Amino acid sequence: MALLRTFSSEVTVVKSDVFQRVLAGFPAGIQMAFAYGSGVFQQTGTDMSKNMLDFVFVVDHPEEWHRENIYRNSKHYSFLKRLGSKTVTKIQDRYGAGIYFNTLVPFEQRLIKYGVIGTDVLISDLMNWDSLYVSGRLHKPVKIIKKPHSARLIQALHANLCSTVHASLLLLPETFTENDLYTTITGLSYSGDFRMKFGEDKGKVSKIVAPNFPYFNKLYKPILDDTMYLKYNNRINMFIHYQNEVTRFYHLNHVPRVVVEELLAIRKKSFPNIYPDVEDIVRSTALDSGCAKYVSESISNIVNKSSWSQSIKSILTAGVRKSVRYSWSKVKKMLKGMKSKAGSK
């Protein structure tokens, strides 16, 4: 029950009519639903009312859910619907980041995009950072449309936030501002994403953090207050994080499994004839002054793999026409951001 209360304090359940009307159009069996992105949270320089509404639906039984949704909302799907819900679910689970998106779906006077992910797949991503795709979205504030009732999922959601703090503290200097922290946290799931080089607004991270500072504070303050080796200095309005092999070892032991696996692969490249185990790698990395570089590369590798595989998968799930249309909207956002940045100089 304590975790239920903790999770409830970290997010706000939204009862806005538009979100509930969206949810009402889909089959039962949704364990958790949340909305995210620039159509839900203000981003600097954007008009929320004109942006697409993004959703993720977490379902316990994806094949059953897709079967009912194909029957109800056949037009949402690409040609894959003709192969049946079993094939749709296989594509969802086996390729990309374990999530199936239907995009550019008309709803009243707007467009929506929704992703469907299995509860077990999400729990694994939250705990291990398998892909950092949906777990990365949950590093940032989201609007919970339907609260989860699974204790395992609630615990995993909280663990994901704790892991985010540990990983960020390995990347930050000894003193940093609250803004530095939230910028680092937000950037984790974008590092290594090929779309940030072409297709996404380069200033996206700062545009997310600046107008949503209070939401980040509400999400992370309880965790920061309980984090070892971290203090807030009210005199200088900065965090102080003691940087040494002890603190690095502590945080490395609290980052998710896949980050450590990537770290192991990276360090083995430097020592090709030595086969150290995980504990040796963690200890040697904690002693290394280049620890932040290795951790950053590990996280980037995870994001890079999932961003490519999920983008390729989206051509099938959305269809070629929708994929081109959606990608072009992203490019226009990027060009607008570049133009805005150039104009401010």
Side-chain angles (χ1 to χ4, degrees):
M1 291 302 294
L3 279 171
L4 282 165
R5 288 193 296 271
T6 300
F7 180 68
S8 296
S9 71
E10 289 167 351
V11 294
T12 301
V13 179
V14 177
K15 296 183 179 178
S16 176
D17 287 343
V18 65
F19 297 111
Q20 296 304 322
R21 289 200 303 274
V22 168
L23 201 60
F26 291 97
I30 296 175
Q31 165 73 226
M32 171 186 174
F34 65 87
Y36 66 95
S38 59
V40 181
F41 286 91
Q42 182 64 54
Q43 293 184 16
T44 304
T46 64
D47 182 353
M48 290 175 62
S49 66
K50 295 181 179 179
N51 290 335
M52 185 160 55
L53 291 172
D54 296 312
F55 297 87
V56 168
F57 302 149
V58 185
V59 301
D60 291 335
H61 305 289
E63 186 178 339
E64 292 177 15
W65 194 89
H66 279 297
R67 184 184 302 117
E68 177 65 22
N69 199 44
I70 290 171
Y71 176 76
R72 278 200 199 186
N73 300 304
S74 176
K75 291 182 179 179
H76 295 183
Y77 290 81
S78 69
F79 69 94
L80 292 176
K81 66 190 174 189
R82 298 189 183 96
L83 304 178
S85 60
K86 187 172 184 178
T87 299
V88 166
T89 304
K90 283 182 179 178
I91 291 169
Q92 173 180 310
D93 290 341
R94 295 183 183 181
Y95 304 101
I99 186 168
Y100 190 104
F101 278 104
N102 286 323
T103 189
L104 299 175
V105 175
F107 180 78
E108 297 178 356
Q109 303 302 312
R110 299 181 76 164
L111 293 173
I112 68 169
K113 177 181 76 173
Y114 64 93
V116 182
I117 187 169
T119 303
D120 290 339
V121 173
L122 176 57
I123 288 172
S124 182
D125 191 33
L126 292 167
M127 298 298 295
N128 303 314
W129 288 10
D130 301 319
S131 67
L132 260 177
Y133 203 86
V134 180
S135 60
R137 278 167 171 70
L138 288 161
H139 292 171
K140 280 97 60 184
V142 300
K143 290 189 174 180
I144 302 298
I145 312 304
K146 182 177 181 182
K147 287 173 62 175
H149 55 77
S150 163
R152 286 177 59 236
L153 179 53
I154 293 167
Q155 185 177 28
L157 288 160
H158 182 71
N160 181 48
L161 297 179
C162 293
S163 296
T164 304
V165 170
H166 289 296
S168 297
L169 290 175
L170 286 163
L171 303 178
L172 286 159
E174 192 164 276
T175 58
F176 54 88
T177 65
E178 194 172 1
N179 185 73
D180 293 333
L181 174 63
Y182 301 149
T183 300
T184 301
I185 285 171
T186 302
L188 291 178
S189 59
Y190 293 118
S191 65
D193 189 334
F194 78 93
R195 295 169 298 180
M196 293 302 290
K197 295 180 180 178
F198 186 80
E200 286 283 7
D201 183 355
K202 301 295 185 297
K204 185 170 186 174
V205 171
S206 60
K207 288 180 179 179
I208 291 172
V209 174
N212 296 298
F213 205 87
Y215 296 112
F216 277 97
N217 180 270
K218 183 178 181 181
L219 200 60
Y220 285 103
K221 190 177 186 306
I223 296 169
L224 295 171
D225 288 345
D226 289 337
T227 300
M228 290 178 62
Y229 308 116
L230 181 68
K231 303 292 180 185
Y232 190 79
N233 189 312
N234 289 301
R235 186 174 58 82
I236 60 174
N237 291 322
M238 296 183 83
F239 284 101
I240 298 174
H241 174 242
Y242 306 107
Q243 291 276 14
N244 54 48
E245 63 273 16
V246 174
T247 59
R248 289 194 290 266
F249 185 71
Y250 169 72
H251 293 305
L252 284 168
N253 274 294
H254 286 82
V255 296
R257 175 181 57 79
V258 178
V259 177
V260 177
E261 289 175 356
E262 288 290 340
L263 195 60
L264 186 63
I266 291 167
R267 297 307 300 270
K268 278 186 175 180
K269 290 178 183 177
S270 303
F271 308 100
N273 299 317
I274 302 174
Y275 301 94
D277 60 22
V278 171
E279 187 175 346
D280 289 336
I281 286 293
V282 169
R283 194 173 298 280
S284 65
T285 304
L287 291 167
D288 196 318
S289 60
C291 174
K293 180 187 74 173
Y294 295 124
V295 173
S296 177
E297 187 178 349
S298 299
I299 293 171
S300 293
N301 287 348
I302 297 169
V303 175
N304 184 259
K305 292 172 190 174
S306 64
S307 67
W308 275 107
S309 59
Q310 187 66 32
S311 293
I312 294 168
K313 174 179 167 180
S314 70
I315 297 172
L316 291 175
T317 59
V320 175
R321 185 182 298 177
K322 278 189 176 182
S323 293
V324 171
R325 185 179 165 193
Y326 180 72
S327 298
W328 176 239
S329 71
K330 289 287 188 180
V331 171
K332 286 197 293 185
K333 273 189 179 182
M334 179 191 72
L335 295 174
K336 183 180 178 182
M338 291 171 64
K339 184 178 180 181
S340 175
K341 187 175 181 181
S344 64
K345 288 183 179 179

